[in-house]
Amino acid sequence: MADLKQTRKHLKIVIAALVLVDIAAVAMLVTPLAGMQETRQQQLRQLWLELKSHAVAPWRGLDKKIPRAKQEIDGFYRDRLPAEDSAISTDLGKLASETGVKMSAEKYTHKDSEMEGLQLVEIEAGV
């Protein structure tokens, strides 16, 4: 029986604390401390406009970004990917001489790539 009285006492304390929290929340809602409803609505509109501008920002200047990206891609293919096997052989020869490795019997095998406009080149070489 004492256990039940103790439990009731704890339950009453918890309920009283929750009632006090509810009263404080209602007081904050209706007092000027929380701000007027019009002010809150204005802040909400301002935040909504900021959110919309941040969402649109990546799309700004897209008409200029696309041609520049195409130029950069073309430059990458031109500068980084050799057009002929001889360019690959020259680069491998330079790399071998810089590292002190001697190469012989280079063999190139061309295969289709999953990417359009590119060709996979498999290189076998004796070192």
Side-chain angles (χ1 to χ4, degrees):
M1 198 67 168
D3 234 6
L4 186 58
K5 285 183 181 182
Q6 188 69 16
T7 305
R8 282 183 182 171
K9 183 178 178 181
H10 288 300
L11 189 59
K12 287 178 184 180
I13 292 172
V14 169
I15 290 173
L18 289 175
V19 167
L20 288 175
V21 168
D22 285 345
I23 291 171
V26 169
M28 283 295 292
L29 187 62
V30 296
T31 62
L33 292 175
M36 299 178 76
Q37 181 177 0
E38 184 178 315
T39 306
R40 288 193 305 263
Q41 289 293 333
Q42 185 179 9
Q43 288 175 341
L44 180 63
R45 281 191 297 271
Q46 179 66 29
L47 291 172
W48 181 250
L49 289 174
E50 288 178 23
L51 177 66
K52 285 171 62 176
S53 70
H54 286 313
V56 174
W59 298 101
R60 288 192 183 125
L62 191 62
D63 56 335
K64 295 175 186 127
K65 291 178 184 177
I66 291 175
R68 188 176 72 228
K70 286 181 180 180
Q71 289 175 349
E72 290 174 0
I73 290 170
D74 291 341
F76 174 80
Y77 284 133
R78 184 181 58 251
D79 298 338
R80 299 288 181 163
L81 302 176
E84 299 175 2
D85 291 345
S86 62
I88 297 172
S89 179
T90 302
D91 289 343
L92 284 176
K94 286 180 187 176
L95 185 62
S97 66
E98 288 174 3
T99 57
V101 175
K102 296 191 185 229
M103 289 183 31
S104 63
E106 296 173 11
K107 178 183 173 189
Y108 298 92
T109 306
H110 296 274
K111 297 181 180 178
D112 289 333
S113 172
E114 294 178 6
M115 295 179 66
E116 186 178 329
L118 292 180
Q119 189 175 40
L120 181 65
V121 178
E122 188 175 294
I123 305 169
E124 294 180 32
V127 291

